[in-house]
Structure formats: C-alpha cells, structure tokens
Amino acid sequence: MSDGIFVGGGGQGYGEQQYLALKYANRHGLIAGATGTGKTVTLQILAEGFSAAGVPVFLADVKGDLSGLAAAGRADFKLHEAFTSRAQTIGFDDYSYDSFPVTFWDLFGAQGHPVRTTVAEMGPLLISRLLELSEAQEGILNIAFRLADEEGMPLLDLEDLQALLVWVGENRDTLGLRYGNISVQSVGAIQRRLLVLENEGGAGIFGEPALELSDIMAHAPDGRGRINILAADTLMASPRLYATFLLWLLSELFEELPEVGDPDKPKLVFFFDEAHLLFDDAPKALVDKVEQVARLIRSKGVGVYFITQNPDDIPEDILGQLGNRVQHALRAFTARDRKALRMAAETYRENPDFDTEAAIREVGVGEAVTSMLEKKGVPGVVQRTLIRPPSSQLGPLGSEERAAVMAASPVAGKYEERLDRRSAHEILAERAAAAAKEAEAAEAREEEMEAAEREFNAGRRYSGTRVSRSTAKPARRGDSFGEAMAKNVMKELTGTTGRRIVRGILGGIFKAR
C-alpha cells in the first residue's frame, strides 16, 4: 500500500497487513498502554513510516531511546532474530535495516541544537500556565503584555519581562486608573515564579534566534521527511515546562501555517509523548485552547498523535478527535482501572472475532489493539495487531554519534549563538538613565539658583542709622514745646474725641437758649 504506513499484521495468524492511510493521517491519533508494553517502539515505527513517505516528524524523546532513529539497525543486535521472525509472520517481506534523517533539538542546548522562543510569542496564557499563576496574577501579566505592545517594547527574554514588571509596579497608581488594581504583592509573586523558572534553567528557552517552523518541516535531499527529536529526558524534570513548550509549538503551527484542506499526506506529524502532563491541573481556558487546536489544525495539514498510558488521561472532547488508535495492554488491578479499560474498549468499532475489552487486557509486548480510519474517514474494525519491527537502531545513540549527526545537520550553527537585540529591558534602562540624567540636571540647576541667592543676600550693604519700626513721626527740630502741644491739641480736636467735645459744647449752648 504505497499511500499508507505499514503498522503490523492483524487477523488470524497476524497475516492481514494493517496500514495507517496517509490521506487520513492528519485526523490525529492515540498511542496508549501501560509502561513496558511497546509504546516507544510503536512511536519509532510510525516516525520511520512517515519519514519514508516524505512527511516531516516532530517528537519528544522522553527516555532517550529514540535517538537511535539516526542509525540503522544491525544484524548483531540481540533482537535481530526476533525481529526477522516477526517480519516473516506479518508478511513484511521487504524488511531491512536503515537510518533516517534526524535533527536533534534541546531546550538546554546540550544534546541538540538550542531551540528557543520569545516571551511575546509564548503569550500570557501559556506563561501563566508555566508559572502556575493565580487569576489576579494572570491579569497583571496581561496588563504587562498590553503595555509592551502599546509602548513598542519587544518582550524577548526573561530579563525583558522582569524589567517590565518592575516598571508596572513602580507606576501602578497611574496604570491602575486605566487597567484596574495592580497589587505590589501580586507583582512580587510573579517575579518569584520567574526566579524559580530561571533557577530551573527555563530562562534558556526564551530569546533569539527563535525557532523557525520551516526548520522542523524540512526534507532530506532524498525526499524523506526529517525527524526532529527533542531531547526531553532532562526536560522531564520540569514537566510543566515540557508540556508548555510543546503546546506553544503546536499553537505556533496552528497560527502560522496556511489552510490546505485535506492533503494526500500531512505536512507534518506531531507526537506529544506523556500527554497527561498537558492536562494535569490545566485550567479550562487551556483545555479549550488544546481542543480548538486539535479540531482545526487538521486543515493546516498537521496530524497530532498523543501518547499516554491510559486513554482516560485525555479529555473526552479531545479524545473524540483522535481517529487512528494503537492501544497496547492496559492493567486492570483496581475498580478504577477496570472502569477505564471498559471505557477504552467501548470507543472501538467492534470485531465479532474477539472481545475488545479482553484483548486490551491480554495483548503481549509488541502487540496492540488497533483501529485506523478507512474510506471517508470511517473508523476501521478493531484488530489485534502484531507491531512491525523497527528498521532503525533500537536504543540510544552514543555521544560521539550524536555529535556527528548534529555537525552534519542543515541547521548546524544557526541557533547556537544567542542574540541580544534592543528590547524592553534595554528600552526601560534607557528611559531610567534619561530620567536620572534629567533629575540630576534639575538638581544642579536648583543648587546654582540657591548659590546665586546666597551670594546676592551676602552681597547686600546697608547705610545710615538703624531705626525702630515705630510709625510715629518724630518732632521736627525747629518746633518749640508749645508749638508741639498746640499741634497735638489740634490733632485731637480734628479726631473723634474732638468732634464729640465740639458736639457737646454746641449742644449745651443751644439748650441754654
């Protein structure tokens, strides 16, 4: 089947070949099963199949085993005979060992090319999820992002965000009139969470040059799709960072890629391992975002495959979007496990040849219950399938082999050197420096004015005799004592008292008449 990926053999004696149709590969999928049942090998053979069909792949290597995709399997491998025997059983006649074009990525830059994004591209919703912020703290973060847009301050790395939050806190009274209350305590809490993220090494994922989507959708010279492997064994120590970064990448694909409808094969297949980390304690807004992406990204030509231990880990609305399913064995030791097993079995199209619930419980390592979309996107009848053996190396590459693959990578040297262009941190520092300079100049001017005033006051000279502040006019030297008395009497007569005396005298005269 040239338009499908060979998954394994099903039916009686495992002789019926099972394929995942490329035309419906962008309808998403699920790989589930308990630990040690073969999920990693299934992921490996699907990545091989998509690459061989010319479809780029992005996956996270949680345990470090998938780096072997870059090397061919060997005949001296301990499972060589088991693999060849299985290939014969399922009718895999052209089975052979082969390596695949691989690009290694690492958020910390140790086991792959550095992969970064900017704070602005990740956005307040995902950063709030990453920092585990409360609703009030998320509101302040949204204010900070809005101000960055309005003020033309690019948010590229954590330094930019930290500096902007300091500025928001300092101007909270003015900003509060427009955006609502901004608590100093909430700003401080966000800063503490950023410090924790920085101490965990998360600061390295923010900055430039940011990852270009075209680099993970590339093809090898022979036409095969490149397999992009994100080193996640160390990253899993920060599960929220792991889940947030993969969700950001998925969101970027959704927002940036053009609509393509229903292509003959996907433009990219995205494997989300340990998918339960995405939904653990996730707010409803985030779950709704994932559901929206899962529903609509299909039209962008991207297929998303969730990998987890139990289908119950995936919200029901999202689980319903996953048409291609590979279900490895589930353990049913408790009542909850049995309920989850029963519910998982009910999601498959029944096969009259066996009981689906019993099959999910009984399938061995390397075997699975599968259901792939068929014509018109209808789910196929469930089958017990023996998964085909991988063509690439089973197990991790050595450090020297990994280094050689990285050196030959088409993106070698592109992301290794970190860039630091003018952004919010530098802009706010320039503003602070300008304000300090202006304040210093104003203070100097004030000091000059005070010095001039002191000099003016010190330079004043007085002449003549000092006088008291009395308002009485002194008698002129030429006046005699009698003249002075006469003048005083006349003054009194012209005053109020004098007028009273005159009225009294005149009144007496007229009464006597």
Side-chain angles (χ1 to χ4, degrees):
M1 184 177 178
S2 59
D3 57 350
I5 296 173
F6 180 47
V7 176
Q12 293 295 328
Y14 304 112
E16 299 178 12
Q17 295 187 339
Q18 304 296 309
Y19 287 89
L20 192 163
L22 286 171
K23 184 177 181 179
Y24 302 114
N26 64 332
R27 304 289 181 92
H28 312 319
L30 173 71
I31 302 173
T35 301
T37 56
K39 296 191 302 296
T40 301
V41 173
T42 298
L43 171 56
Q44 185 168 343
I45 65 104
L46 288 179
E48 291 178 358
F50 281 118
S51 176
V55 178
V57 171
F58 187 95
L59 57 87
D61 190 4
V62 173
K63 296 182 291 185
D65 295 341
L66 293 170
S67 58
L69 280 159
R74 301 188 310 273
D76 59 351
F77 183 57
K78 62 181 180 180
L79 294 178
H80 170 69
E81 293 185 1
F83 283 174
T84 53
S85 175
R86 180 183 296 189
Q88 292 176 358
T89 300
I90 62 178
F92 194 9
D93 298 331
D94 56 350
Y95 175 63
S96 61
Y97 292 124
D98 195 6
S99 61
F100 293 83
V102 167
T103 303
F104 289 114
W105 302 94
D106 186 358
L107 265 66
F108 306 114
Q111 302 183 71
H113 305 293
V115 52
R116 305 182 191 91
T117 181
T118 64
V119 171
E121 286 179 343
M122 184 162 282
L125 175 62
L126 291 182
I127 291 181
S128 297
R129 163 68 169 166
L130 177 61
L131 301 179
E132 302 180 77
L133 301 184
S134 66
E135 184 176 350
Q137 294 160 1
E138 183 180 350
I140 292 176
L141 197 63
N142 276 280
I143 293 173
F145 273 77
R146 171 65 68 85
L147 288 170
D149 289 338
E150 293 178 350
E151 298 289 331
M153 296 186 290
L155 293 177
L156 304 181
D157 52 29
L158 285 191
E159 282 189 345
D160 292 329
L161 184 55
Q162 290 166 337
L164 182 59
L165 287 170
V166 170
W167 186 80
V168 168
E170 291 174 344
N171 296 273
R172 62 187 180 278
D173 293 336
T174 303
L175 296 174
L177 296 175
R178 180 178 179 185
Y179 298 105
N181 182 48
I182 297 175
S183 166
V184 177
Q185 291 77 11
S186 294
V187 173
I190 300 173
Q191 295 282 39
R192 288 192 296 273
R193 295 304 306 167
L194 289 173
L195 181 62
V196 171
L197 177 63
E198 192 173 6
N199 291 339
E200 293 177 349
I205 75 169
F206 295 107
E208 291 185 321
L211 177 66
E212 295 181 14
L213 296 183
S214 59
D215 287 332
I216 66 171
M217 301 181 69
H219 294 79
D222 60 4
R224 291 185 297 176
R226 297 198 68 87
I227 300 176
N228 300 272
I229 299 179
L230 176 68
D233 47 348
T234 304
L235 182 59
M236 289 305 295
S238 304
R240 197 172 292 272
L241 176 59
Y242 164 81
T244 304
F245 175 78
L246 290 187
L247 181 55
W248 163 79
L249 184 54
L250 197 60
S251 299
E252 282 294 293
L253 291 167
F254 171 69
E255 293 174 3
E256 297 296 330
L257 295 181
E259 295 277 346
V260 295
D262 286 319
D264 294 335
K265 61 183 179 182
K267 300 296 182 183
L268 176 74
V269 170
F270 189 100
F271 289 96
F272 205 129
D273 203 355
E274 299 294 340
H276 66 93
L277 297 175
L278 180 59
F279 304 105
D280 288 347
D281 302 321
K284 185 177 184 303
L286 186 62
V287 176
D288 291 343
K289 176 71 172 178
V290 177
E291 181 185 353
Q292 178 192 33
V293 170
R295 188 187 319 112
L296 300 178
I297 202 171
R298 169 183 73 81
S299 62
K300 306 293 184 81
V302 178
V304 183
Y305 288 71
F306 293 96
I307 303 150
T308 188
Q309 292 193 12
N310 197 315
D312 193 38
D313 297 333
I314 311 296
E316 186 175 353
D317 291 340
I318 298 175
L319 188 63
Q321 306 288 332
L322 312 181
N324 301 294
R325 302 190 183 186
V326 180
Q327 175 67 65
H328 290 274
L330 285 178
R331 312 305 181 198
F333 300 114
T334 66
R336 183 181 181 279
D337 292 338
R338 289 190 289 273
K339 180 180 178 181
L341 174 60
R342 184 171 61 254
M343 292 180 64
E346 290 174 352
T347 62
Y348 289 93
R349 184 178 168 189
E350 293 183 2
N351 189 328
D353 295 337
F354 60 87
D355 179 67
T356 305
E357 183 177 344
I360 294 175
R361 186 172 54 247
E362 296 169 357
V363 290
V365 176
E367 190 180 6
V369 171
T370 63
S371 175
M372 306 298 172
L373 294 179
E374 297 178 345
K375 292 181 179 181
K376 298 183 180 181
V378 176
V381 174
V382 64
Q383 295 285 353
R384 290 187 62 155
T385 303
L386 188 62
I387 303 299
R388 78 164 180 86
S391 297
S392 55
Q393 176 179 308
L394 189 65
L397 283 184
S399 57
E400 295 182 358
E401 295 173 297
R402 181 188 286 266
V405 172
M406 290 175 58
S409 168
V411 296
K414 181 175 181 178
Y415 295 99
E416 275 67 17
E417 185 176 353
R418 192 181 186 91
L419 302 179
D420 187 17
R421 64 183 175 95
R422 185 172 180 269
S423 53
H425 178 262
E426 289 77 13
I427 292 173
L428 290 172
E430 291 170 4
R431 289 185 181 181
K437 187 176 181 180
E438 184 178 350
E440 185 179 352
E443 185 177 353
R445 287 194 301 269
E446 184 176 351
E447 289 180 355
E448 291 177 0
M449 292 176 63
E450 291 178 354
E453 185 177 356
R454 286 195 301 270
E455 184 179 355
F456 174 76
N457 291 336
R460 287 189 298 176
R461 296 292 181 267
Y462 294 91
S463 59
T465 59
R466 292 182 177 274
V467 296
S468 65
R469 293 184 177 273
S470 174
T471 57
K473 294 182 180 180
R476 287 181 296 182
R477 290 182 180 180
D479 293 343
S480 63
F481 177 77
E483 292 175 342
M485 285 295 296
K487 289 180 179 179
N488 285 332
V489 170
M490 289 301 296
K491 181 179 180 181
E492 288 296 327
L493 289 175
T494 56
T496 304
T497 304
R499 287 194 296 272
R500 289 176 180 173
I501 294 173
V502 171
R503 285 198 301 270
I505 294 172
L506 294 176
I509 293 173
F510 284 110
K511 285 182 180 179
R513 288 182 182 179

